[in-house]
Amino acid sequence: MEMRQSTESTFFLKKRVKLSLLIGLLIVLYVGASLILGFNSEAFLYVDRGIIWLVKNFIPNGHSMTYWHDILQALMKTLLVSVAATSVAGVLSLGLALIGAKTTGPSKILSWLIRGFASVMRNIPIVGWAMLLLFSFKQNDFTGFLALLFLSVGFLTRAFMETIEDVDVEKIQALQVTGANYFQVISQAVLPEISTPLISWLLYMAENNLRDATLVGLLTGTGIGFVFDLYFKSLRYGPAGLVVLAIIILVIAVELASNFVERRIAA
């Protein structure tokens, strides 16, 4: 009994020591980063003042509603660019995934190449894509579309490949034994099996693209991001707050619609 209590005490002592070391390491990292950057930690004492200023200035008022037409127009443009990028990326990613998946791909070398391509595309952040594309395509909607498209292709290709590889191999082999060709196997065995998760991935990507499109708009000078930047820099804080409120409402609406579609598909 005493040995058991001693073992338990030693176990929890080790846990406390590890936790203390972790907290100490985080504190050291924070202090070191603050000293290097010249960050003034006293700013935390004035957080309440910042929140009060935010509430006073960014709450939309009656005058802000006169900007509603321009905000709604930019918001719909952002939504359409997001949906378009997701749709095109879905088609391209499905083709790449079918070629790159282990169960449906023609060769291992091609599979490795597509996996590498997808990893590169999805590991470059959306801001990186937007900044790179600005040099070639300048500030316009097409630049934002391409930035969302490239990131979406990388993410969806990898997600679709993993989904395809989860398909029961016996179903594919059964069709192959009966003499079915490659396209018949894909259309009769693979696509019906993965249709539900593919739609779920597309809806998830559409939600992410809608959020990312706001940030991309700040760089490309388009959509709702540009409208917010314009109002904020011209000190029109009320309309800028209305832009934030409109973005929140749209994101919640899209998420609710996605959840509804997923529930209907799963039913």
Side-chain angles (χ1 to χ4, degrees), residues 53-75:
W53 182 90
L54 185 69
V55 171
K56 286 183 177 179
N57 291 277
F58 270 83
I59 291 182
N61 50 35
H63 177 68
S64 303
M65 299 305 295
T66 59
Y67 295 87
W68 182 249
H69 176 73
D70 294 335
I71 293 173
L72 184 61
Q73 189 175 16
L75 196 65

Side-chain angles (χ1 to χ4, degrees), residues 94 98 103-104 159-160 162-172 175 184-201 265-266:
L94 180 58
L98 289 171
T103 52
T104 58
F160 287 178
E162 293 177 357
T163 303
I164 293 171
E165 290 172 355
D166 289 337
V167 176
D168 190 0
V169 181
E170 293 182 356
K171 294 182 179 179
I172 298 175
L175 282 176
Q184 289 173 332
V185 170
I186 296 299
S187 61
Q188 299 299 324
V190 178
L191 293 181
E193 188 77 15
I194 66 173
S195 59
T196 299
L198 288 192
I199 294 174
S200 297
W201 280 120
I265 293 173

Side-chain angles (χ1 to χ4, degrees), residues 6-260:
S6 176
T7 303
E8 291 179 352
S9 299
T10 303
F11 173 78
F12 288 111
L13 177 61
K14 290 181 179 179
K15 286 286 187 181
R16 288 194 294 270
V17 170
K18 289 180 180 179
L19 180 60
S20 301
L21 290 174
L22 178 61
I23 294 174
L25 177 62
L26 293 175
I27 293 174
V28 170
L29 290 174
Y30 170 76
V31 172
S34 299
L35 292 174
I36 293 172
L37 297 174
F39 177 70
N40 185 9
S41 299
E42 293 181 359
F44 287 111
L45 300 176
Y46 307 104
V47 171
D48 58 334
R49 299 182 185 178
I51 294 175
I52 292 172
W53 182 90
L54 185 69
V55 171
K56 286 183 177 179
N57 291 277
F58 270 83
I59 291 182
N61 50 35
H63 177 68
S64 303
M65 299 305 295
T66 59
Y67 295 87
W68 182 249
H69 176 73
D70 294 335
I71 293 173
L72 184 61
Q73 189 175 16
L75 196 65
M76 292 307 298
K77 183 183 293 186
T78 300
L79 175 62
L80 292 175
V81 169
S82 304
V83 172
T86 305
S87 302
V88 176
V91 175
L92 296 176
S93 299
L94 180 58
L96 290 172
L98 289 171
I99 298 173
K102 296 178 181 178
T103 52
T104 58
S107 69
K108 291 184 178 180
I109 296 176
L110 195 57
S111 177
W112 292 338
L113 290 174
I114 292 177
R115 285 178 185 276
F117 168 76
S119 296
V120 171
M121 297 289 282
R122 74 190 184 101
N123 283 319
I124 298 177
I126 190 67
V127 175
W129 278 122
M131 294 177 68
L132 287 172
L133 293 168
L134 275 174
F135 292 106
S136 300
F137 301 98
K138 309 304 177 184
Q139 289 186 320
N140 52 57
D141 290 323
F142 188 64
T143 302
F145 169 80
L146 287 180
L148 295 172
L149 175 65
F150 290 166
L151 182 65
S152 300
V153 166
F155 182 88
L156 290 177
T157 299
R158 189 61 183 269
F160 287 178
M161 286 175 67
E162 293 177 357
T163 303
I164 293 171
E165 290 172 355
D166 289 337
V167 176
D168 190 0
V169 181
E170 293 182 356
K171 294 182 179 179
I172 298 175
Q173 293 176 343
L175 282 176
Q176 290 174 339
V177 169
T178 60
N181 58 37
Y182 179 80
F183 294 102
Q184 289 173 332
V185 170
I186 296 299
S187 61
Q188 299 299 324
V190 178
L191 293 181
E193 188 77 15
I194 66 173
S195 59
T196 299
L198 288 192
I199 294 174
S200 297
W201 280 120
L202 285 172
L203 293 173
Y204 172 78
M205 200 69 235
E207 293 177 28
N208 276 358
N209 280 343
L210 180 59
R211 299 183 183 97
D212 290 339
T214 304
L215 179 59
V216 170
L218 292 172
L219 299 172
T220 60
T222 59
I224 197 66
F226 172 71
V227 172
F228 173 81
D229 189 48
L230 178 64
Y231 293 163
F232 181 78
K233 288 182 177 178
S234 59
L235 305 182
R236 287 177 282 181
Y237 298 129
L242 185 60
V243 170
V244 175
L245 180 62
I247 293 172
I248 293 172
I249 293 173
L250 180 61
V251 169
I252 293 175
V254 171
E255 185 174 356
L256 291 175
S258 298
N259 292 337
F260 174 76

